[in-house]
Amino acid sequence: MARPSSGVLISVNGLGFPPQNLARVVVWEWLNEHGRWRPYTAAVCHHIENVLKEDARGSVVLGQVDAQLAPYIIDLHSMHQFRQDTGTMRPVRRNFYDPSSAPGKGIVWEWENDNNSWTPYDMDICITIQNAYEKQHPWLDLSSLGFCYLIYFNSMSQMNRQTQRKRRLRRRMDLAYPLTMGSIPKSQSWPVGTSSGQPCSCQQCLLVNSTRAASNAILASQRRKVHAGNSNGTLAVRQSSTFNGTALWAAGTGPAGGMAKMEQVRSPSGVQVTTFSRSQSAPTGTQLPGQNNLNRPGTQRVAILSTRASIPPGVPALPVKNLNGTGPVHPALAGMTGILMCAAGLPVCLTRAPKPILHPPPVSKSDIKPVPGINGICRKTKKKHLKKSKNPEDVVRRYIQKVKSPPDEDCTICMERLVTSSGYEGLLSHKGAKPELVGKLGKCGHVYHLLCLVAMYSNGNKDGSLQCPTCKAIYGEKTGTQPPGKMEFHIIPHSLPGHTESKTIRIVYDIPAGIQGPEHPNPGKKFTARGFPRHCYLPDNEKGRKVLKLLIVAWSRRLIFTIGTSSTTGECDTVVWNEIHHKTEFGSNLTGHGYPDPNYLDNVLVELMAQGVSEANLKD
């Protein structure tokens, strides 16, 4: 099978540069919490390259090219991505690939996740898939890259070799990644506009500019303190939030076996400086994991664990977090100060991180009231009783109309032309469902092979409903795979931020751990249920009560939760939220899951509608 084109990564002051006079495609990547390098889109990479040409030590405001990345800034000097609202920092790198590979041609391979949206593969996997596709291989084994998946090009699907679960994949054309030759000159100004040479006037860049001036003053002050400490036999040690909370120690921080005493100095901005004098052991030359060692997922995890092991006992590894709004330091100033001090090799330990207010003050039982207009205060779901399954072909035929003269376009399920046979021919056989038959869905009018719709239905929940894979229109009553549990709801005498005129509806979900059923990813295997009971909050007003009624309908249809992989912890076979957002912070909105949020109730109504739960269900 095809191998990926090797990404050449040469480090020069933290930036990778290709050999002189050698054309390379540039792909910027960030390190996620699972130790895997994830590529930015081609448009974002072009934007980063444009800024890099002007100032190799400046900052890149990602929101200027992608609105979804508005909170993020890349500091090119320290090679870190900084999220302004949470203060989270992640390493980034500049990687190079052959111009004839997938990124050079603008080809992106993606797989369909549990949210029915598309996720791009890591760049090395994307290149491997494209190489096999160009050589017309019928299938591809990804085990050589550390993944237990098989890629089938005829059906455009990905199969887990252990669980036999299949997912759709697709190949699409996008903007080609930027091309470069040789090293890139540095500019004299920071930051600069894309064309005029003048600083950008957007709000984010103005904030970054104002931050730099204040940060430089702090840096100068800290350098004087560190220099004075070194002259008195004290050795400064750098502590940063690289790898999301782990400390990285600069190489050569002291002689082997040297003794140091830890001291802390606080700057006027509230930044703690950690130093070691020679009375206890200091870290001795622990080398940072090289970027070339992080090309494989397994190696990345080992590198991160070895980094954590290098932290001396008793020294806390604190992530850089934004400070509370009531503190003396502006959150953005605190975060950017952390980036610049790390880049200068100075110690960083930003304190007074804000804590979310998850729960209301204690409430007595006598103050808890039922929600008006809703019977009872509790709903339970039991284990699903499997009924005699309906014939998949009969279910599909109920919602489609036969098309005698199909259009000459692709079936978006099998990616074969509609005028030819289905890609599932030979893989799936049903009486009457001939591979060349084509049908049109009644509501939305999208056209597919009948056999492809039968295959899609057979691979789903098989509950008698069908969902269009193109527009997500739902035919029938959609049900989910939520495990058995209990949902409670009542009114408490406290108000949410932004809703001071009303009391609060509290929802309590409780799902115990158990064994997966036949509708789950791994039948017969245990699943975990972390963080239960989970408390959620709605304002006690007309719209809040309507949302509660619809959530009760979604709960009865088993749509609130599902079993899958946690996007927070990476844990598999655990209970996770299922595309219907809830507010779990009572008195703050630090994580984005709290109040005030003036658009939340409208947004959750749209999400419920996408699951087939609407006001029409309340009338029924």
Side-chain angles (χ1 to χ4, degrees):
M1 288 300 128
R3 296 275 180 175
S5 301
S6 58
V8 181
L9 186 64
I10 305 172
S11 180
V12 179
N13 293 331
L15 294 174
F17 292 102
Q20 291 285 349
N21 302 322
L22 177 62
R24 285 291 182 182
V25 173
V26 179
V27 178
W28 283 83
E29 300 165 319
W30 58 277
L31 189 67
N32 69 8
E33 61 272 20
H34 307 305
R36 290 167 53 186
W37 289 100
R38 304 289 295 141
Y40 292 100
T41 64
V44 172
C45 290
H46 276 279
H47 177 61
I48 299 174
E49 286 295 300
N50 289 336
V51 177
L52 181 66
K53 291 176 183 178
E54 299 291 342
D55 187 357
R57 299 170 65 88
S59 295
V60 185
V61 181
L62 300 186
Q64 293 177 340
V65 67
D66 188 343
Q68 294 182 341
L69 301 180
Y72 297 98
I73 292 176
I74 292 180
D75 180 70
L76 295 176
H77 181 52
S78 63
M79 291 294 282
H80 278 78
Q81 170 190 278
F82 169 62
R83 178 164 179 164
Q84 298 177 86
D85 52 351
T86 65
T88 303
M89 297 173 67
R90 296 184 186 276
V92 299
R93 74 177 183 182
R94 183 170 181 255
N95 214 351
F96 298 93
Y97 298 94
D98 191 275
S100 62
S101 62
K105 299 175 180 178
I107 297 173
V108 180
W109 285 87
E110 300 172 320
W111 56 275
E112 189 177 34
N113 57 34
D114 293 333
N115 299 327
N116 294 325
S117 57
W118 295 94
T119 302
Y121 286 95
D122 297 350
M123 192 54 68
D124 56 345
I125 300 177
C126 176
I127 292 174
T128 302
I129 296 175
Q130 177 61 21
N131 287 345
Y133 179 83
E134 291 177 350
K135 295 178 181 178
Q136 298 184 347
H137 291 175
W139 56 274
L140 172 66
D141 187 351
L142 295 180
S143 59
S144 61
L145 296 177
F147 298 92
C148 58
Y149 294 109
L150 292 173
I151 301 295
Y152 294 100
F153 293 107
N154 290 335
S155 60
M156 290 297 283
S157 62
Q158 165 194 285
M159 186 183 75
N160 189 311
R161 300 178 64 180
Q162 296 179 349
T163 65
Q164 303 299 306
R165 183 182 182 186
K166 286 188 176 181
R167 296 180 184 270
R168 292 193 301 157
L169 76 155
R170 71 178 183 182
R171 174 181 180 268
R172 67 177 180 86
M173 298 300 298
D174 198 358
L175 181 68
Y177 279 82
L179 192 68
T180 186
M181 290 188 63
S183 59
I184 299 176
K186 298 181 180 180
S187 174
Q188 287 75 37
S189 58
W190 184 101
V192 244
T194 55
S195 59
S196 64
Q198 298 299 322
C200 178
S201 60
C202 76
Q203 291 298 319
Q204 287 179 310
C205 281
L206 290 175
L207 181 59
V208 170
N209 276 321
S210 62
T211 297
R212 180 169 174 80
S215 300
N216 281 339
I218 297 173
L219 284 170
S221 173
Q222 291 300 329
R223 288 194 184 99
R224 287 193 294 269
K225 291 184 179 181
V226 172
H227 177 74
N230 286 338
S231 63
N232 294 328
T234 304
L235 184 64
V237 179
R238 172 185 174 185
Q239 181 177 351
S240 78
S241 65
T242 307
F243 297 114
N244 197 17
T246 61
L248 297 183
W249 302 95
T253 52
M259 305 300 287
K261 177 181 179 181
M262 186 176 70
E263 298 178 355
Q264 290 187 340
V265 181
R266 184 175 295 275
S267 74
S269 67
V271 177
Q272 288 184 348
V273 179
T274 305
T275 61
F276 283 87
S277 59
R278 310 197 191 289
S279 61
Q280 84 177 46
S281 296
T284 57
T286 304
Q287 188 173 359
L288 300 183
Q291 289 175 308
N292 278 332
N293 294 330
L294 296 175
N295 288 332
R296 295 281 296 274
T299 311
Q300 292 157 2
R301 286 189 286 271
V302 172
I304 293 173
L305 291 175
S306 64
T307 301
R308 291 174 178 169
S310 68
I311 303 173
V315 178
L318 299 178
V320 175
K321 291 289 184 181
N322 60 310
L323 303 186
N324 198 325
T326 59
V329 183
H330 190 280
L333 173 59
M336 291 304 295
T337 300
I339 292 178
L340 296 170
M341 292 187 70
C342 284
L346 298 176
V348 175
C349 181
L350 299 181
T351 57
R352 298 190 305 279
K355 295 181 180 180
I357 304 173
L358 299 178
H359 303 290
V363 179
S364 63
K365 290 185 178 181
S366 61
D367 291 331
I368 295 177
K369 305 296 181 183
V371 181
I374 300 179
N375 295 328
I377 59 171
C378 179
R379 298 289 188 274
K380 293 183 179 179
T381 56
K382 298 181 180 180
K383 188 174 182 180
K384 181 180 180 182
H385 297 287
L386 293 177
K387 300 178 182 179
K388 186 177 180 180
S389 59
K390 301 177 182 179
N391 188 308
E393 183 184 337
D394 293 339
V395 173
V396 171
R397 286 183 180 275
R398 185 188 311 163
Y399 304 120
I400 67 168
Q401 302 168 1
K402 187 176 179 180
V403 177
K404 294 182 180 180
S405 300
D408 187 15
E409 58 186 39
D410 286 342
C411 169
T412 56
I413 297 178
C414 69
M415 302 307 294
E416 298 290 343
R417 307 297 286 181
L418 288 169
V419 294
T420 64
S421 297
S422 166
Y424 284 91
E425 182 182 12
L427 300 176
L428 192 65
S429 177
H430 276 272
K431 295 180 180 179
K434 297 180 180 180
E436 65 272 11
L437 289 180
V438 174
K440 179 176 70 173
L441 290 171
K443 292 181 184 178
C444 60
H446 289 112
V447 183
Y448 307 95
H449 290 115
L450 176 62
L451 192 60
C452 292
L453 290 172
V454 170
M456 183 184 73
Y457 177 82
S458 301
N459 195 43
N461 203 25
K462 295 187 283 290
D463 58 358
S465 71
L466 193 68
Q467 187 168 17
C468 175
T470 300
C471 66
K472 309 305 179 186
I474 296 175
Y475 297 80
E477 183 179 293
K478 179 181 178 180
T479 60
T481 60
Q482 177 180 287
K486 181 172 65 174
M487 173 188 184
E488 295 181 354
F489 40 86
H490 48 254
I491 295 177
I492 57 175
H494 297 290
S495 298
L496 294 165
H499 298 277
T500 55
E501 73 288 349
S502 59
K503 296 181 181 179
T504 298
I505 299 172
R506 178 167 60 186
I507 306 172
V508 182
Y509 295 111
D510 196 6
I511 296 179
I515 304 296
Q516 297 183 51
E519 73 274 23
H520 293 136
N522 298 301
K525 186 177 180 180
K526 292 182 179 180
F527 69 86
T528 59
R530 310 292 185 191
F532 288 94
R534 299 187 185 183
H535 292 226
C536 308
Y537 304 95
L538 292 169
D540 181 28
N541 54 31
E542 183 180 355
K543 187 175 287 189
R545 293 178 188 177
K546 181 171 72 174
V547 169
L548 174 62
K549 292 176 182 178
L550 294 176
L551 288 175
I552 293 173
V553 174
W555 172 266
S556 66
R557 295 183 184 178
R558 307 173 70 203
L559 295 170
I560 303 291
F561 296 95
T562 187
I563 294 178
T565 301
S566 171
S567 60
T568 305
T569 65
E571 181 181 10
C572 299
D573 299 307
T574 189
V575 180
V576 295
W577 294 104
N578 186 37
E579 300 182 6
I580 301 176
H581 285 84
H582 286 64
K583 293 296 187 181
T584 54
E585 279 186 67
F586 174 79
S588 59
N589 194 19
L590 296 178
T591 64
H593 303 303
Y595 295 92
D597 186 346
N599 299 321
Y600 168 66
L601 295 178
D602 292 327
N603 291 340
V604 77
L605 287 173
V606 173
E607 292 173 345
L608 286 162
M609 178 73 74
Q611 297 290 336
V613 181
S614 64
E615 291 186 63
N617 301 119
L618 301 181
K619 297 176 183 179
D620 297 340

